[in-house]
């Protein structure tokens, strides 16, 4: 009678399923399969149902009663998360369970919740056996995004594997030009070589470049100083003979194992003939796993020179890449990159302040453009400036000269850390953008009074400013001035709106996309120019119109739409569209760009998969919707 | 009263039972139940409801049993359920009687000496006790959790007095519209309340099945006599 028991329990589930999409459209067998396997579980109000820490998602959840809140999670510290409320008949986390990865959201029971939970393997089974269910899972816009993320993850996972796991061959790890001396070299000369090369270990190799020993700093203590070895004795008397060697094609894991087994800190890497080609240290292996948010932050804050910061900058890129691979959304990711880049910039400024003294002067370092909006992608050049208050007894001219010298140093150091100098020279070292508070206010007023094309262009860069270092109040004073000016100049906002409508999303009447807008790049779409910039421009106008202090476009749109009483679901659709375009940009910059080079924003829509093409089209539609609204609000034809 | 019965009907299988059932009874007797001092998560509970011809266990007839396992501190799995409708048992005469006995035995095996949860133990337990005594010669004395008495003491904010089950379903927001529920639907309703109860009692430090059974006994004793 157990079959009968199961049939009746499942029958109970079936009765529920038949009242909810997409299950009500599914065929009887598929529905029965769901009901036969679905477990009913209770989650008390406030308890977490599933989250990123729970590891790979084991169940597909369908809410039977109660409400569930989905909250974006991650090691990202951003102020605003997108929060989603799910009710009876809704299911989660479709993307994660499909991909067999941890959920990127935390799902919490808002009140007492009963959920049907379908084990992941039964869910996958259902996906293949029921076209209706499959369609539902792929159509749902959030799951669309998620799904596209998981496809991406696959690509990334492969690259991530090649790049940085312990499976990497030793040939790409550690020092490629190890410092080596001959066995007969006197101890003193060997030590001088070490000191000059600033290394802690030395390889002893014969003329045939076959290593015969290793000499490290700890050997210095035990075998030279304490052993009273004369400084003209050959280094072979102090070295550890018969060093541990691995061939180039051995993996980092082999090296780690060898170090653990033999209690050594260095492994020599040789080619097939046994000739020395490199050294891998414990630190090199550690570095493979080092890339984590906290470690990077600590290393940035503890960096004593630009060289150390260069390493951190590389780590930021690596970590953002890993996060992208883990499916972290574009909004979080860009804010995250910005947060770490901020820390990096601050450190560069601090280091340079050691050579430039501004005691007693109020000033602030400003970030403009995408950096000012917290929307940096992997390849962003510098956009910065300085604002200062002129104290009594000093002239603007004097102060400007001092700040310019300082800014030039900072700009150069930032360039060395991977933030290329701005081609448009929007940098603090440019006298035009190294201004006193009064000069900035006057500059803003002038642009707003006379909205010439150049002024409007400048407005799109300079009105997105954010203080990165120094006296925040100065930037706030600038912001108050700006908002007061724009709200009393409707003509200016109209001109901005006009400008923002110059470029339209590349949606074709017959074809899906217009790909001939850029004469130099036929067949491609500039995702920045025809995509994210549209959102950013509209967000800026509404923010200025409604007195929103934020510079981030997502926050601007959210806050402005609240003030304008625009419906949440409407805004969310817009934000999702924007998020997706940003995400494609990040993906493109990382997958197509050579590591360390500046990626572009040009994509060929034919290269996208069917899923991404559809979402991209929908995202552009959202951009167009946003523009239509702007047109109406500002009466622009 | 139970003590006297136990005395009158000494444990032992009645002679008329088929050998396989006799053997199964012996095996069941020899088997050990779950550790009641283990965490709720590790112990499987079984939620039970019955259908009967009336409310008097001593004279009315038991018509059906519906039961569902609740494991891992609150999970209902369709595979772990049991439904017995005595009127649906086919066959005639002795064959039918043996089929009934086998089903009763199968139910015991399904229970596997798990702690049992129901609404109003004297009613449900009374019928089960009688049928097992009469047919299999078994003194059916499982560990009971009686929601009827336990709910008022664990969910005082909802009601602190004894209530009909339907009132509780309303209070928990579980009322599933109109119409009669069959025994399995009732069992699943009870199972849901039990899922909620498990969260509540764990928060109150009642963290093992043993303690829950004790709490159930205490609540029914206190409420009935004070």
């Amino acid at each position: 009678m157990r079959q009968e028991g199961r049939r009746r329990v499942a029958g109970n589930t079936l009765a529920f399923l038949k009242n909810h999409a997409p299950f009500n459209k599914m065929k009887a067998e598929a529905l029965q399969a769901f009901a036969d396997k679905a477990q009913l579980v209770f989650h008390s109000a406030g308890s977490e149902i599933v989250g990123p820490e729970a590891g790979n998602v084991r169940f597909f959840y369908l809410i039977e009663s109660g409400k569930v809140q989905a909250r974006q999670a991650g090691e990202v510290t951003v102020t605003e998360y997108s929060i989603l409320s799910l009710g009876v008949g809704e299911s989660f986390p479709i993307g994660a369970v499909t991909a067999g990865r941890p959920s990127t959201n935390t799902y919490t029971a808002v009140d007492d919740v009963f959920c049907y939970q379908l084990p992941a393997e039964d869910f996958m089974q259902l996906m293949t056996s029921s076209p209706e269910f499959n369609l539902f899972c792929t159509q749902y816009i959030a799951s669309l995004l998620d799904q596209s993320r998981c496809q991406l993850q696959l690509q990334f996972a492969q690259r991530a594997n090649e790049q940085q796991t312990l499976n990497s061959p030793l040939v790409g790890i550690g020092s490629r030009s190890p410092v080596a001396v001959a066995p007969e070299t006197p101890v003193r000369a060997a030590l001088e070589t070490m000191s000059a090369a600033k290394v802690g270990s030395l390889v002893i190799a014969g003329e045939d470049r076959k290593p015969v020993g290793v000499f490290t700093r700890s050997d210095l203590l035990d075998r030279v100083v304490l052993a009273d070895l004369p400084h003209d004795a050959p280094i072979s008397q102090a070295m550890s003979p018969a060093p541990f060697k691995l061939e180039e094609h051995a993996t980092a894991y082999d090296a780690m194992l060898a170090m653990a087994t033999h209690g050594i800190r260095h492994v020599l890497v040789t080619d097939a003939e046994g000739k020395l080609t490199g050294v891998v240290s414990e630190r090199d292996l550690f570095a493979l796993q080092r890339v984590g948010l906290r470690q990077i932050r600590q290393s940035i804050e503890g960096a004593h020179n630009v060289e150390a910061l260069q390493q951190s900058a590389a780590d930021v890129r690596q970590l953002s890449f890993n996060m992208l691979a883990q499916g972290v959304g574009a909004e979080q990711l860009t804010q995250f990159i910005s947060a770490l880049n901020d820390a990096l910039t601050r450190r560069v400024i601090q280091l340079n302040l050691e050579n430039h003294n501004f005691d007693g002067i109020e000033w602030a370092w400003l970030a403009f453009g995408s950096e000012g909006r917290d929307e940096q992608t992997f390849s962003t050049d510098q956009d910065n400036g300085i604002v200062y208050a002129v104290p009594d007894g000093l002239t603007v001219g004097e102060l400007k000269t001092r700040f310019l010298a300082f800014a030039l140093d900072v700009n150069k150091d930032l360039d060395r850390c991977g933030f290329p100098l701005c081609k448009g020279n929007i940098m603090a070292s440019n006298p035009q953008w190294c201004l006193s508070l009064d000069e900035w206010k006057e500059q803003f007023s002038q642009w707003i009074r006379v909205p010439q094309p150049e002024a409007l262009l400048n407005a799109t860069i300079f009105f997105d400013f954010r203080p990165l270092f120094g006296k925040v109040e100065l930037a706030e004073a600038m912001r108050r001035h700006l908002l007061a000016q724009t709200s009393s100049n409707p003509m200016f906002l109209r001109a901005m709106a006009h400008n923002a409508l110059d470029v339209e999303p590349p949606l074709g009447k017959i074809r899906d996309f217009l790909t001939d807008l850029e004469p130099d790049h036929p067949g491609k779409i500039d995702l920045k120019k025809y995509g994210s910039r549209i959102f950013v421009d509209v967000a800026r106008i509404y923010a200025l119109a409604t007195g929103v202090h934020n510079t981030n476009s997502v926050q601007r749109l959210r806050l402005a739409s609240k003030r304008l009483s625009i419906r949440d679901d409407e805004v969310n659709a817009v934000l999702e569209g924007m998020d997706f375009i940003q995400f494609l940009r990040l993906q493109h910059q990382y997958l197509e760009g050579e590591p360390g080079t500046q990626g572009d924003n040009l994509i060929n829509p034919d290269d996208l998969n069917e899923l991404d093409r559809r979402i991209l089209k929908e995202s552009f539609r959202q951009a167009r919707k946003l523009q239509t609204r702007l047109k109406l609000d500002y009466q622009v034809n | 009263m139970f003590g006297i019965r136990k005395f009158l009907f000494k444990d032992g299988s009645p002679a008329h039972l088929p050998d396989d059932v006799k053997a199964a009874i012996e095996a069941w007797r020899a088997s050990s139940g779950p550790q009641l001092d283990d965490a709720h998560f590790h112990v499987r509970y079984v939620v039970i409801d019955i259908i009967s011809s009336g409310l008097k266990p001593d004279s009315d007839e038991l018509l059906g049993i519906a039961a569902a396992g609740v494991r891992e501190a609150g999970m209902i799995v369709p595979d772990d359920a049991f439904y017995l409708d005595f009127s649906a048992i086919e066959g005639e005469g002795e064959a039918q009687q043996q089929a009934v006995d086998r089903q009763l035995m199968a139910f015991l095996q399904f229970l596997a000496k798990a702690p049992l949860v129901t609404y109003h133990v004297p009613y449900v337990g009374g019928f089960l006790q009688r049928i097992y005594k009469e047919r299999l010669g078994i003194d059916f004395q499982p560990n009971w959790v009686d929601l009827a008495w336990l709910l008022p003491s664990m969910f005082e904010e909802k009601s602190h007095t004894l209530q009909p089950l339907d009132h509780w379903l309303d209070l928990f927001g579980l009322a599933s519209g109109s119409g009669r529920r069959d025994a399995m639907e009732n069992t699943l309703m009870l199972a849901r309340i039990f899922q909620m109860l498990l969260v509540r009692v764990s928060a109150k430090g009642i963290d093992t099945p043993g303690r829950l059974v004790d709490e159930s006994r205490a609540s029914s004793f206190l409420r009935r006599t004070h």
Side-chain angles (χ1 to χ4, degrees):
Chain A
M1 291 298 118
R2 298 185 67 147
Q3 296 95 316
E4 182 62 14
R6 182 177 65 202
R7 198 182 70 75
R8 286 183 180 252
V9 174
N12 209 273
T13 308
L14 279 178
F16 173 82
L17 294 177
K18 280 177 181 157
N19 285 323
H20 294 91
F23 307 98
N24 51 4
K25 296 192 197 75
M26 281 161 59
K27 299 217 167 55
E29 307 91 289
L31 218 50
Q32 189 68 46
F34 188 110
D36 279 345
K37 296 294 180 187
Q39 307 160 354
L40 183 66
V41 175
F42 172 69
H43 299 277
S44 61
S47 62
E48 188 182 300
I49 299 172
V50 64
E53 292 81 30
N56 291 349
V57 172
R58 290 165 51 225
F59 298 103
F60 164 85
Y61 299 86
L62 170 64
I63 302 171
E64 196 264 0
S65 67
K67 272 203 162 38
V68 172
Q69 189 186 66
R71 197 160 28 87
Q72 281 268 288
E75 39 173 18
V76 195
T77 40
V78 282
T79 43
E80 257 189 323
Y81 289 115
S82 56
I83 291 177
L84 191 71
S85 184
L86 303 172
V88 173
E90 292 191 276
S91 35
F92 62 94
I94 301 173
V97 74
T98 315
R101 60 163 166 80
S103 167
T104 48
N105 288 324
T106 302
Y107 293 90
T108 313
V110 177
D111 40 25
D112 282 354
V113 169
F114 282 97
C115 276
Y116 287 112
Q117 54 180 40
L118 187 67
E121 58 273 21
D122 297 310
F123 169 85
M124 296 307 282
Q125 187 74 43
L126 202 59
M127 284 278 280
T128 50
S129 65
S130 169
E132 292 87 349
F133 188 68
N134 199 311
L135 192 68
F136 165 76
C137 292
T138 44
Q139 263 186 352
Y140 191 45
I141 177 80
S143 73
L144 276 179
L145 290 171
D146 259 347
Q147 285 228 329
S148 130
R149 263 170 218 160
C150 33
Q151 291 182 347
L152 232 132
Q153 263 175 281
L154 274 180
Q155 300 171 0
F156 275 118
Q158 281 165 357
R159 277 189 65 155
N161 267 335
E162 289 162 16
Q163 286 195 354
Q164 54 127 39
T165 66
L166 289 175
N167 286 325
S168 323
L170 293 177
V171 69
I173 300 168
S175 165
R176 302 315 316 148
S177 48
V179 181
V181 295
E184 53 274 13
T185 311
V187 168
R188 186 172 180 85
L191 289 174
E192 279 164 1
T193 309
M194 275 174 85
S195 172
K198 290 182 181 160
V199 292
S201 63
L202 203 57
V203 181
I204 322 299
E207 275 178 28
D208 54 0
R209 281 198 66 78
K210 288 187 181 169
V212 294
V214 173
F215 180 80
T216 66
R217 278 195 182 149
S218 57
D219 294 333
L220 174 65
L221 183 65
D222 290 340
R223 296 190 186 146
V224 179
V225 178
L226 296 179
D228 277 334
L229 191 73
H231 289 185
D232 53 0
I235 189 73
S236 55
Q237 288 187 18
M239 69 184 188
S240 310
F244 194 87
K245 290 171 284 188
L246 282 172
E247 280 193 25
E248 287 173 332
H249 60 258
T251 64
Y253 181 77
D254 295 330
M256 187 169 263
L257 195 66
M259 287 177 191
T261 319
H262 303 291
I264 51 177
R265 296 195 164 170
H266 296 86
V267 167
L268 304 186
V269 184
T270 61
D271 61 14
E273 292 170 16
K275 290 182 181 167
L276 181 71
T277 61
V279 175
V280 172
S281 70
E282 208 174 33
R283 270 178 67 180
D284 295 328
L285 294 184
F286 182 60
L288 280 183
Q289 303 172 303
R290 164 197 51 192
V291 190
L293 180 59
R294 213 179 39 218
Q295 291 89 327
I296 295 182
R297 260 217 107 104
Q298 278 170 356
S299 65
I300 289 175
E301 275 152 22
H304 290 297
N305 51 39
V306 177
E307 286 71 33
L309 285 172
Q310 281 174 325
Q311 180 57 49
S312 300
D315 287 349
V316 171
R317 276 156 198 267
Q318 183 66 55
L319 179 54
S320 356
F321 164 73
N322 288 352
M323 289 172 72
L324 196 57
Q326 283 161 19
V328 174
E331 182 191 345
Q332 277 82 9
L333 195 56
T334 47
Q335 293 199 12
F336 159 83
I337 298 173
S338 294
L340 282 182
N341 285 350
D342 282 2
L344 208 85
T345 309
R346 282 194 196 106
R347 191 65 199 150
V348 169
I349 292 172
Q350 278 169 349
L351 288 174
N352 276 292
L353 280 175
E354 288 168 8
N355 306 323
H356 299 267
N357 181 13
F358 297 109
D359 284 349
I361 298 166
E362 292 190 343
W363 68 282
W365 183 271
L366 303 173
F368 298 116
S370 64
E371 197 184 354
R373 291 191 302 270
D374 271 337
E375 286 164 12
Q376 278 164 297
T377 57
F378 293 116
S379 49
T380 309
D381 53 8
Q382 296 184 41
D383 284 330
N384 45 46
I386 287 179
V387 56
Y388 46 87
V390 186
D392 293 340
L394 279 177
T395 65
V396 177
E398 282 170 348
L399 217 44
K400 185 169 286 194
T401 318
R402 283 169 62 191
F403 272 116
L404 283 173
F406 162 70
L408 191 63
D409 287 349
V410 175
N411 287 148
K412 280 182 183 161
D413 281 352
L414 286 174
D415 182 40
R416 291 166 69 196
C417 289
F419 304 101
L421 299 171
C422 175
K423 295 188 197 87
N425 204 7
I426 300 173
M427 287 187 291
S429 55
N430 179 347
Q432 257 188 297
W433 315 124
C434 180
L435 304 177
S436 72
L437 179 58
D438 292 334
E439 286 172 331
W440 274 115
K441 284 182 177 173
E442 177 48 32
Q443 181 64 268
F444 281 4
S445 302
Q446 202 184 322
W447 287 335
I448 292 168
R449 272 197 310 271
V450 192
Q452 301 282 350
E454 204 195 330
L456 290 170
L457 178 66
N458 283 334
T460 63
I461 299 164
F462 291 96
F463 286 6
D464 301 344
F465 64 93
R466 197 163 56 91
L468 268 190
F469 189 92
K471 197 89 178 153
V472 176
E473 288 79 2
L474 291 172
E476 266 313 298
M478 284 168 69
R479 178 112 44 223
R480 279 196 303 274
H481 176 78
L482 172 65
L483 290 171
Q485 293 281 308
T486 47
S487 61
S488 58
N489 277 284
M491 279 312 295
F492 172 75
L493 285 181
R494 216 184 137 200
M496 288 266 283
H498 203 280
N499 222 24
L501 293 166
D502 262 0
V503 168
E504 285 179 6
L507 288 167
K509 285 200 171 62
I510 301 163
R511 286 168 304 143
D512 278 355
F513 301 107
L514 298 178
T515 53
D516 46 6
L517 296 171
E518 293 293 289
D520 295 343
H521 304 283
K524 298 211 168 179
I525 293 179
D526 187 330
L527 282 181
K528 186 177 174 186
K529 187 170 176 189
Y530 299 100
S532 44
R533 188 180 290 163
I534 293 178
F535 293 94
V536 168
D537 283 348
V538 178
R540 183 183 306 108
I541 293 168
Y542 280 120
L544 292 174
T546 54
V548 168
H549 280 233
N550 303 46
T551 51
N552 181 262
S553 298
V554 174
Q555 294 168 355
R556 276 177 164 175
L557 283 171
R558 281 214 181 104
L559 292 172
S561 64
K562 258 195 199 97
R563 294 182 188 181
L564 297 169
S565 301
I566 299 171
R567 286 208 328 275
D568 275 359
D569 52 349
E570 215 171 297
V571 178
N572 286 340
V574 168
L575 294 179
E576 264 169 15
M578 175 168 141
D579 195 61
F580 184 73
I581 291 176
Q582 280 291 72
F583 191 71
L584 274 191
R585 281 180 67 194
L586 290 171
Q587 167 193 3
H588 177 72
Q589 290 185 358
Y590 217 98
L591 279 184
E592 325 247 310
E594 283 299 306
T597 64
Q598 295 290 297
D600 59 29
N601 296 296
L602 296 163
I603 61 134
N604 180 352
D606 293 340
D607 293 346
L608 298 177
N609 63 40
E610 172 64 26
L611 201 65
D612 285 349
R613 253 205 315 278
R614 273 166 52 196
I615 313 172
L616 182 61
K617 201 173 156 189
E618 179 56 31
S619 303
F620 281 138
R621 283 206 188 106
Q622 293 297 339
R624 187 157 69 189
K625 237 173 84 182
L626 205 57
Q627 284 194 329
T628 310
R629 197 184 173 97
L630 192 71
K631 236 181 245 179
L632 285 171
D633 284 351
Y634 288 92
Q635 306 283 312
V636 182
N637 297 315
Chain B
M1 184 174 74
F2 294 150
I4 294 169
R5 279 200 179 179
K6 199 172 179 175
F7 184 71
L8 289 175
F9 297 86
K10 283 216 166 59
D11 278 0
S13 318
H16 67 84
L17 288 175
D19 288 344
D20 58 318
V21 176
K22 279 185 192 162
I25 290 174
E26 289 318 310
W28 176 80
R29 284 205 170 106
S31 71
S32 54
Q35 291 287 322
L36 294 188
D37 55 357
D38 210 338
H40 291 302
F41 188 89
H42 291 131
V43 178
R44 167 178 169 265
Y45 289 87
V46 175
V47 181
I48 296 182
D49 188 37
I50 58 165
I51 321 166
S52 61
S53 62
L55 293 175
K56 295 196 279 300
D58 287 336
S59 52
D60 293 326
E61 205 184 336
L62 179 64
L63 304 174
I65 303 172
V70 174
R71 53 174 102 161
E72 290 179 26
M75 191 162 92
I76 301 169
V77 184
D79 272 337
D80 189 16
F82 193 97
Y83 188 88
L84 177 54
D85 179 354
F86 289 104
S87 67
I89 293 176
E90 291 174 7
E92 278 177 31
E94 194 180 350
Q96 192 192 25
Q97 292 307 308
Q98 289 190 352
V100 170
D101 291 339
R102 289 204 175 91
Q103 286 303 335
L104 284 170
M105 195 57 231
F107 183 59
L108 276 189
Q109 286 164 339
F110 167 79
L111 295 180
K113 298 196 173 170
L116 306 186
V117 181
T118 193
Y119 198 85
H120 209 54
V121 169
Y123 164 70
V124 177
F127 275 102
L128 291 174
Q129 201 160 44
R130 185 175 134 223
I131 198 166
Y132 275 106
K133 177 56 64 183
E134 287 177 357
R135 300 201 62 101
L136 301 188
I138 285 175
D139 183 27
F140 188 68
Q141 300 274 20
N143 290 296
W144 282 109
V145 173
D146 193 341
L147 295 177
W149 297 99
L150 207 45
L151 292 180
S153 67
M154 291 296 137
F155 291 94
E156 280 178 309
E157 79 281 6
K158 295 193 193 294
S159 168
H160 52 83
T161 58
L162 212 58
Q163 299 275 353
L165 176 59
D166 280 357
H167 285 194
W168 280 111
L169 293 180
D170 276 339
L171 291 170
F172 280 109
L174 292 175
S176 60
S178 57
R180 278 183 62 83
R181 294 181 300 269
D182 70 21
M184 184 53 94
E185 281 165 358
N186 236 3
T187 295
L188 289 174
M189 283 296 172
L190 291 177
R192 283 166 188 232
I193 291 181
F194 181 62
Q195 287 175 319
M196 296 167 117
L197 180 81
L198 272 182
V199 173
R200 178 61 65 101
V201 297
S202 300
K204 288 183 187 251
I206 304 169
D207 47 8
T208 66
R211 289 178 152 196
L212 184 56
V213 169
D214 286 347
E215 189 70 27
S216 171
R217 270 196 209 116
S219 65
S220 52
F221 174 76
L222 283 172
R223 300 256 167 183
R224 255 181 261 185
T225 50
H226 294 280

